[in-house]
Amino acid sequence: MNTTEEFYEIIASAIAIKKEMVDENLTYQEIPEWDSMSHLLIVEALEQFYQIKFDFNDILEMGTVGKIRAKMKKYDVLVEN
């Protein structure tokens, strides 16, 4: 499993959707499963798995999976194919 698959799987598991539904363009509130509460579940799952702590502004700016991936770089986590 590459790191992108792992990253997608964490997000999918956090919001209880199929991994195949996750791609870079999946957007916050685009699907009913990704609401404000589940957004926090994504944050928590990523923080636990990668042993990082997002700051509040970063959490607010993570409006797509692609933006989440970009924010991960700030915490020295590279999600690669």
Side-chain angles (χ1 to χ4, degrees):
M1 180 182 300
N2 66 36
T3 59
T4 294
E5 288 179 28
E6 189 174 72
F7 175 64
Y8 287 177
E9 188 168 301
I10 293 166
I11 292 172
S13 178
I15 60 175
I17 62 173
K18 294 181 180 181
K19 186 172 76 175
E20 294 75 25
M21 294 175 65
V22 179
D23 64 22
E24 297 300 297
N25 299 316
L26 183 61
T27 303
Y28 171 67
Q29 295 187 332
E30 176 183 2
I31 58 174
E33 293 87 348
W34 190 357
D35 60 13
S36 58
M37 289 301 295
S38 59
H39 187 72
L40 296 177
L41 294 175
I42 292 171
V43 169
E44 180 182 29
L46 293 171
E47 286 179 338
Q48 286 182 355
F49 187 84
Y50 294 108
Q51 297 294 301
I52 58 175
K53 182 75 176 157
F54 292 108
D55 74 34
F56 183 71
N57 289 330
D58 288 338
I59 294 170
L60 294 178
E61 294 171 359
M62 297 189 313
T64 67
V65 171
K67 288 180 181 177
I68 294 172
R69 179 197 295 260
K71 289 293 180 190
M72 304 280 287
K73 290 180 185 174
K74 178 178 175 181
Y75 299 91
D76 297 325
V77 176
L78 297 177
V79 179
E80 300 174 349
N81 292 325

